[in-house]
Amino acid sequence: MPIRQKESSEKHIVIKPQLQNSMAPHQKNPRTIVNVRSPPNQESSENTKFQNQNSPPSRNQRRRRGRGGRKSDQSDAFMWPGLRPCTTANKPDLVVVPEVVVEAGICNGVADKGRNSSDLSVGFPTSSKSMNFAQRPGYGQLGTKCIVKANHFLAELPNKDLHQYDVTITPEVTSKPANREIIAELVKLYRQSDLGMRLPAYDGRRSLYTAGELPFSWKEFTIKLVDEEDGISGPKRQRDYKVAIKFVARANLHHLNQFLTGKRPDGPKEAIKVIDIVLREMSAKRYCPIGRSFFSPDIRRPQRLGDGLEAWCGFYQSIRPTQMGLSLNIDMASAAFIEALPVIEFVAQFLGKDVLLRPLSDTNRIKIKKALRGIKVEVTHRGSVRRKYRVSGLTSQPTCELVFPVDDKLTMKSVVDYFQEMYGFTIQYTHLPCLQVGNQKKASYLPMEACKIVERQRYTKRLSEKQITALLKITCQRPRDRENDILQTVQQNSYDQDPYAKEFGININENLACVEARVLPAPWLKYHEAGKEKDCLPQVGQWNMVNKKMIDGMTVSHWACINFSRNVQESVARGFCNELAQMCQVSGMEFYPEPVIPIYTARPDQVEKALKHVYQSCSLKLKGKELELLLVILPDNNGSLYGDIKRICETDLGLISQCCLTKHVFRINKQYLANVSLKINVKMGGRNTVLLDALSCRIPLVSDIPTIIFGADVTHPENGEESSPSIAAVVASQDWPEVTKYAGLVCAQAHRQELIQDLYKTWHDPVRGTVSGGMVRDLLISFRKATGQKPQRIIFYRDGVSEGQFYQVLLFELDAIRKACASLEPNYQPPVTFIVVQKRHHTRLFANNHKDRSSTDKSGNILPGTVVDTKICHPTEFDFYLCSHAGIQGTSRPAHYHVLWDENNFTADGMQSLTNNLCYTYARCTRSVSVVPPAYYAHLAAFRARFYMEPDMQESGKSTRATVDSGVRQLPALKENVKRVMFYC
């Protein structure tokens, strides 16, 4: 009777949604004509209230700046996922047994409770080639002029014709390194003959580029590759490929030159792509390419991160069109790589214990399975033969129990005996499981001790807190050190000796770009008249609460405290609460000194029970009044406790909480208490400070008419979480003309979907008919209720959008904003300014003279308020870099603001000064922040909402079954008193 492997309770399910939307150009959605100025057919008291509200005269009728014609028609479509089966190559010389692989798919259509998903309107606009982004309205003049250096290096354009060829490799190869190997062999064999001495640049996929045309328009080559990794002795595997090269097009360099000089609004992306590929060819051969970065243990000695990982240093490289011409952007980079260790040693390091003496527990086996899945290993039991395999899993049985059929008669043999007889290899640790490799139909076994991890593999899974801290310490560089490393990298790359750069006639200047910048003045801040200091002018991006009182200090009469830290005695906790209450009083709040019930001590593993006990005890004591604030003392290492507290308080109990770590309770610091008091005040609905210009109505294009400022962001699951939803968040100002207080909403949407689906939506209700909703609509109504005015201008800061998604995001989300407005009132279309905020870029700004203390802050970074809109910015579009914060450690990263759409006719100074001034209104600290607060709050809200998912959804792969039938699992509803404050954390 054959002994099969026991079926694991953990199914091997891999799902990769493929969204059918405007991001897939080969899929066309049916077009539906939509009049965005006409509201849907519905009856709503909200609409009537909105229309009847008195407000200043609308300026909608003014002539808006043209941005390339009328907006394209919209289409309604649903998103359906594709399936990605588990695939690994089936290799010889392994123990092979059949295995069933489970495939599953999920529907990514949004299905709210009580609604039919087919009734939802999710429109995906068609792309519009005629739509241009906002053009630069001029250059800013405000501020003190200075010179900064940027990590951009001028690239001189080639004067040669660039030709593009299509490459078809048969049989098809999906690996870019393998494709590169094939083309490298082709060039080696045929460059001096069939290729006419041309040295082509190859993108690793379908495109090949040359400086000048090849002697043919189409030709097929036969390439033979010998696998040198099979060892020194014995026959080596030979692979045969047919490579067809076909002429496609010639890159338009005249068009590119016109674009760079500002004579054309759009750039030829293909020509820029060619130059980028050319300049990456040598680095791709020398180093390990990952995305747009290159890594090598030779650039700097790798440093251990623990648990079998190490940090490699490298550099980022990208060619960018700028006002000074084509610019090569070079920056330093670091990434976590897996140490090239024997697998047995990696497992021992990863688990932090000696696994060689005892069998793995189920928990540890699953940990190792997740850590090793997808990693390449090479066998070490066959001498010089080093075949490579990709790990697909781990056996649920130890090696000593594994058997498999060796012939058609199902004669069984143990894995231990097979390796002894076949290779003379004695498996010592038979109590450990085997690695599983192979294709989806068969499970193939390799003993751990017979394998070594292949070098040059990046670790893409989640890092531990310890590893993150170690990596940050390695990457944190002072500005002067980072600048020197960048210059050294450019010199080591030797672009002047690069054969590909020479072939294409590209020259790289090895000096950092010197750029004219301006330091914008800090805004005056207004505090309460009762304080000794009624207003304040921040110095170098920071100030304090000494002699100041919050402009709108709130009252906390009913509060309680839970202590989850066993190291904190009740007397210590009581002393801390008293100190915090006094600081709130000093800062301008009314804070009752005694809690509703005595401080309650609880165990972290009984968090829900403890929270409900305190909530119910306080409700009984208060007799109908609500508990206003819950203080929570946490252990310093609290794992999931913080998230559990926020989820239960904000989605179940409706409690506003403030968490404090044990280390702050023992070491009471005035600055820390002041910062906590700021958080508590805004959570209670107060305001800490406002811009003095806002009170005196002196903010251009904000103070003149009711203006709402939005912030929006989407956070995506970490790598490896194939089915967890993405979380979208939108916040909006609620206190015009001060624009300091915000309300926020969050929603879950399809995995890795960047477009925010719930900005505006409609669905069919059996009683009310077509009903409108969505986050923008709800926040517009909330603004009207809070201010008594309807917004006459919309400013929308959108975080987290890459350049490749600009068109899709603008088309879809601007349309959603307009539909939300139209659903509230006929012809209600306030002008919109849509700005993308980017932090994940690689432009760094350095002081021109690091020794000049007047031009740097304490950390050696450029001064807060430094803005750049020339030379390194877009040739024609409305963008700028703004370093609005003072550095603390490392090199400051300026935020990049790109105005995609502007119907409010902002000047450069108007947009830059508004953005910089808003950065001083962040409620949680007395410092200017690096990103404009509405975008910052949206990011915090989206991040916070991850805690709202049920615990089984927060682990990779656990949510698959829950989402199969119902599409995207929606977040639990937030309690009303929490919606406006949850992002203040």
Side-chain angles (χ1 to χ4, degrees), residues 350-610:
F350 189 85
L351 293 178
K353 61 184 74 173
D354 186 1
V355 298
L356 308 182
L357 301 179
R358 62 186 63 86
L360 290 181
S361 66
D362 285 343
T363 301
N364 285 336
R365 186 184 65 82
I366 291 172
K367 285 182 182 178
I368 292 299
K369 177 181 178 180
K370 289 180 178 179
L372 289 175
R373 183 184 289 160
I375 290 175
K376 279 187 178 180
V377 296
E378 59 183 6
V379 296
T380 58
H381 65 286
R382 298 183 60 186
S384 60
V385 178
R386 293 295 181 104
R387 290 271 173 87
K388 296 179 181 179
Y389 305 93
R390 193 175 296 278
V391 178
S392 60
L394 231 62
T395 62
S396 58
Q397 296 170 284
T399 304
C400 60
E401 296 180 14
L402 292 172
V403 295
F404 67 99
V406 292
D407 53 33
D408 294 339
K409 298 178 181 179
L410 296 180
T411 305
M412 307 305 292
K413 185 184 288 283
S414 73
V415 172
V416 175
D417 291 342
Y418 176 84
F419 275 85
Q420 182 65 54
E421 295 172 10
M422 190 73 179
Y423 304 109
F425 183 82
T426 302
I427 301 174
Q428 298 181 40
Y429 305 109
T430 58
H431 62 281
L432 297 178
C434 278
L435 302 180
Q436 279 186 340
V437 297
N439 60 26
Q440 60 180 336
K441 294 182 179 179
K442 298 178 180 179
S444 308
Y445 301 151
L446 281 175
M448 284 188 183
E449 59 201 276
C451 300
K452 180 185 177 183
I453 294 173
V454 176
E455 63 180 2
R456 296 166 64 96
Q457 292 188 82
R458 185 185 180 189
Y459 187 75
T460 58
K461 299 178 179 67
R462 183 174 188 172
L463 298 177
S464 67
E465 292 297 327
K466 175 184 168 185
Q467 291 167 336
I468 292 171
T469 301
L471 185 60
L472 288 175
K473 189 177 291 186
I474 294 167
T475 59
C476 183
Q477 285 183 294
R478 291 293 188 188
R480 178 183 291 183
D481 297 332
R482 194 181 196 98
E483 179 184 330
N484 290 336
D485 281 357
I486 290 170
L487 287 169
Q488 185 178 348
T489 298
V490 173
Q491 291 167 2
Q492 287 177 345
N493 286 347
S494 302
Y495 295 103
D496 58 335
Q497 301 298 319
D498 185 334
Y500 291 93
K502 283 184 174 181
E503 171 82 7
F504 284 79
I506 303 171
N507 295 314
I508 304 297
N509 189 315
E510 294 190 352
N511 297 315
L512 291 160
C514 286
V515 186
E516 186 177 277
R518 291 166 289 112
V519 181
L520 300 177
W524 280 89
L525 303 176
K526 177 63 179 172
Y527 282 91
H528 199 276
E529 294 291 330
K532 290 183 179 179
E533 294 184 22
K534 299 172 178 57
D535 46 41
C536 166
L537 181 63
Q539 301 297 318
V540 197
Q542 53 192 326
W543 65 102
N544 57 51
M545 286 296 293
V546 176
N547 295 327
K548 304 175 189 69
K549 291 188 181 293
M550 302 156 176
I551 192 164
D552 288 329
M554 302 303 288
T555 299
V556 178
S557 301
H558 311 303
W559 62 277
C561 177
I562 295 185
N563 175 19
F564 285 106
S565 177
R566 60 184 178 182
N567 296 327
V568 177
Q569 300 299 321
E570 184 179 350
S571 59
V572 176
R574 190 164 56 248
F576 173 78
C577 290
N578 288 338
E579 291 283 346
L580 180 57
Q582 289 178 28
M583 179 58 72
C584 289
Q585 290 276 11
V586 169
S587 300
M589 294 181 65
E590 291 292 331
F591 201 105
Y592 190 74
E594 293 298 323
V596 174
I597 61 173
I599 294 174
Y600 184 75
T601 301
R603 287 165 41 187
D605 60 349
Q606 295 183 344
V607 55
E608 186 169 5
K609 180 180 177 181

Side-chain angles (χ1 to χ4, degrees), residues 222-228 230 235-241 387:
T222 299
I223 302 298
K224 299 180 184 294
L225 284 184
V226 176
D227 193 345
E228 299 294 338
D230 266 4
K236 296 179 174 61
R237 287 186 299 174
Q238 178 176 293
R239 293 165 291 170
D240 296 342
Y241 299 95
R387 290 271 173 87

